Amino acid sequence: GENVEQHPSTLSVQEGDSAVIKCTYSDSASNYFPWYKQELGKRPQLIIDIRSNVGEKKDQRIAVTLNKTAKHFSLHITETQPEDSAVYFCAASSEKTSYDKVIFGPGTSLSVIP
Amino acid sequence: DGGITQSPKYLFRKEGQNVTLSCEQNLNHDAMYWYRQDPGQGLRLIYYSQIVNDFQKGDIAEGYSVSREKKESFPLTVTSAQKNPTAFYLCASSFGGAEQFFGPGTRLTVL
């Protein structure tokens, strides 16, 4: 069945450094790739998403890149700050399920050390 | 906060009991979802519903049941057939394949 893998499972960076989280997906029909951030004790919230008709999308300090041929997509956070500490989930869905069946990766716990 | 609520926040169940988790949204979203969150395993889809009176099984539907009698409500019943129900349960809703809005979650513990 469909699967999304995510690496690393934990990541520690110094404040101001960059963080990169990588995901791979198995369903070649997937064409929508959201990223969610879950702070401790809170609900997941969408931070950025990308559709397969683009290769990169940026929003201030965060960016997502997509390599559809390799079925890889990545989240890049630059100039990390302590408030970036959270669990990040990548996900994939496709038009064939009207984007309603979303497969999540296992998550990456990011710690930003002041 | 997002217009989607879950109750209760904490729930304790004795073995052999069925329990029902509530999820309500006032966002006028067509699609609603239930996920189970365990440490290190991310969000696993239990059931989802794209329209009233219709729902589909997710990856881990065994031992769970749902209903969708109203657009606003998508309750989840954890039955006694679910072997390891202790987990954090998240409900979500979305409109037309866009962003999913999550509720605050229900933490279920089996005593």
Side-chain angles (χ1 to χ4, degrees):
Chain A
E2 300 100 334
N3 185 47
V4 174
E5 296 183 355
Q6 184 172 347
H7 299 280
S9 57
T10 59
L11 179 60
S12 290
V13 298
Q14 290 291 135
E15 183 177 356
D17 287 350
S18 295
V20 180
I21 302 170
K22 298 182 178 182
C23 290
T24 59
Y25 60 97
S26 61
D27 185 0
S28 57
S30 296
N31 56 1
Y32 174 64
F33 307 93
W35 286 86
Y36 288 82
K37 175 183 180 183
Q38 186 178 27
E39 296 178 29
L40 189 64
K42 296 192 176 179
R43 68 191 80 187
Q45 291 190 301
L46 181 76
I47 55 170
I48 195 167
D49 57 11
I50 191 168
R51 297 191 185 268
S52 61
N53 56 345
V54 297
E56 183 175 1
K57 184 176 178 181
K58 290 178 101 170
D59 182 4
Q60 299 182 336
R61 296 186 297 107
I62 60 173
V64 57
T65 58
L66 172 65
N67 182 331
K68 200 153 167 56
T69 303
K71 295 193 233 173
H72 289 172
F73 58 114
S74 300
L75 178 72
H76 303 253
I77 307 174
T78 58
E79 300 171 19
T80 53
Q81 300 167 3
E83 52 265 37
D84 294 328
S85 296
V87 178
Y88 292 81
F89 295 99
C90 61
S93 65
S94 75
E95 193 173 7
K96 71 180 180 184
T97 60
S98 301
Y99 304 106
D100 284 331
K101 187 175 182 184
V102 180
I103 308 299
F104 283 85
T108 295
S109 178
L110 173 64
S111 298
V112 179
I113 304 163
Chain B
D1 190 8
I4 180 164
T5 60
Q6 291 183 242
S7 62
K9 188 172 182 180
Y10 299 98
L11 186 58
F12 298 91
R13 189 195 93 172
K14 293 181 181 178
E15 286 197 24
Q17 281 184 335
N18 292 354
V19 290
T20 298
L21 283 58
S22 169
C23 178
E24 304 277 333
Q25 54 99 0
N26 63 3
L27 301 167
N28 200 33
H29 286 169
D30 289 314
M32 296 187 74
Y33 317 79
W34 275 105
Y35 294 95
R36 170 177 171 146
Q37 187 172 27
D38 295 284
Q41 295 196 48
L43 300 168
R44 293 187 290 167
L45 183 64
I46 305 173
Y47 270 97
Y48 67 106
S49 169
Q50 295 169 299
I51 198 168
V52 173
N53 292 323
D54 189 38
F55 45 83
Q56 287 78 40
K57 292 182 178 180
D59 299 318
I60 57 165
E62 185 175 350
Y64 301 97
S65 66
V66 293
S67 63
R68 187 86 187 276
E69 296 177 3
K70 298 186 301 181
K71 189 175 186 178
E72 304 80 20
S73 179
F74 191 40
L76 173 75
T77 297
V78 184
T79 75
S80 56
Q82 170 48 237
K83 297 285 188 271
N84 183 22
T86 295
F88 188 57
Y89 291 87
L90 282 162
C91 179
S93 69
S94 74
F95 178 74
E99 175 181 359
Q100 291 201 3
F101 290 85
F102 287 86
T106 292
R107 189 165 297 280
L108 173 64
T109 303
V110 174
L111 302 174

